[in-house]
Amino acid sequence: MRYAYIGLGANQGDLAATLQAAVQSLGSLEQSQLIAASPFYVSAPIDATGPDYLNAVVCIDTELEPYGLLLHLLEIEMVFGRKRRGADARRNAPRNIDLDLLMVGDLIIRSAPLVLPHPRMHERAFVLRPLLDIAPDLTVPGHGAAVGLLARVSDQIIAPFRPEEAGD
């Protein structure tokens, strides 16, 4: 078994309910156990337009190989209505769910379907802030301590989610 970290994001639909249901789905993956889920955060889109995102990070302990885990994440996205063709396929387009495999142990993989660690995670406060909530001493392979990486993106807007302010 090894720890895998998964980033969750959504900016369409009932954001909190969708992320909560996605966390539950990740917790019921075969050969895996949910270890931790971060609080939710609101973040502005980066290199995109559209409404703010709701983000979180989940840690699971899994026996699944990275490619198998990626397939499960894509399947969960489909169950939640994510389309990877047409208008939804544009990079950074608004979406009702996005699951990104951030890290699997200390593996470094560079292949067409999978890059680990996730190629932009070290540049994204919406990944690093919730990641540090559940793994404060984490080191991102090839990039260094996550806490130091977060300091480099301190200009990115991210705030704790407050359900009473959501207006849902």
Side-chain angles (χ1 to χ4, degrees):
M1 301 275 282
R2 63 181 148 206
Y3 283 0
Y5 295 92
I6 300 154
L8 296 83
N11 71 341
Q12 290 183 332
D14 187 341
L15 308 181
T18 299
L19 286 195
Q20 194 65 5
V23 169
Q24 290 175 347
S25 294
L26 293 168
S28 63
L29 282 175
E30 65 178 276
Q31 302 175 21
S32 303
Q33 178 182 357
L34 181 67
I35 299 300
S38 75
F40 295 168
Y41 286 89
V42 177
S43 66
I46 296 178
D47 300 329
T49 58
D52 287 349
Y53 280 83
L54 193 61
N55 300 101
V57 172
V58 165
C59 176
I60 61 172
D61 196 3
T62 186
E63 292 180 10
L64 294 169
E65 291 303 316
Y67 293 97
L69 180 54
L70 178 63
L71 290 175
H72 282 289
L73 299 184
L74 294 172
E75 183 178 290
I76 292 170
E77 286 183 342
M78 286 184 359
V79 166
F80 282 92
R82 171 86 187 266
K83 295 175 181 67
R84 289 192 171 262
R85 300 201 188 285
D88 253 8
R90 291 175 316 189
R91 184 174 174 189
N92 300 333
R95 55 194 54 141
N96 57 341
I97 190 70
D98 187 27
L99 302 177
D100 288 328
L101 186 53
L102 302 173
M103 293 176 49
V104 177
D106 59 359
L107 293 177
I108 296 176
I109 297 175
R110 303 280 184 256
S111 69
L114 181 61
V115 176
L116 291 177
H118 189 280
R120 290 172 303 283
M121 72 176 282
H122 65 285
E123 302 170 342
R124 304 294 194 234
F126 66 81
V127 171
L128 295 167
R129 175 66 269 156
L131 181 63
L132 285 164
D133 284 337
I134 60 174
D137 299 322
L138 190 74
T139 296
V140 179
H143 296 287
V147 69
L149 299 171
L150 181 60
R152 293 186 204 163
V153 293
S154 61
D155 60 322
Q156 294 177 14
I157 299 169
I158 181 167
F161 173 64
R162 306 217 187 290
E164 65 276 5
E165 297 172 6
D168 287 331

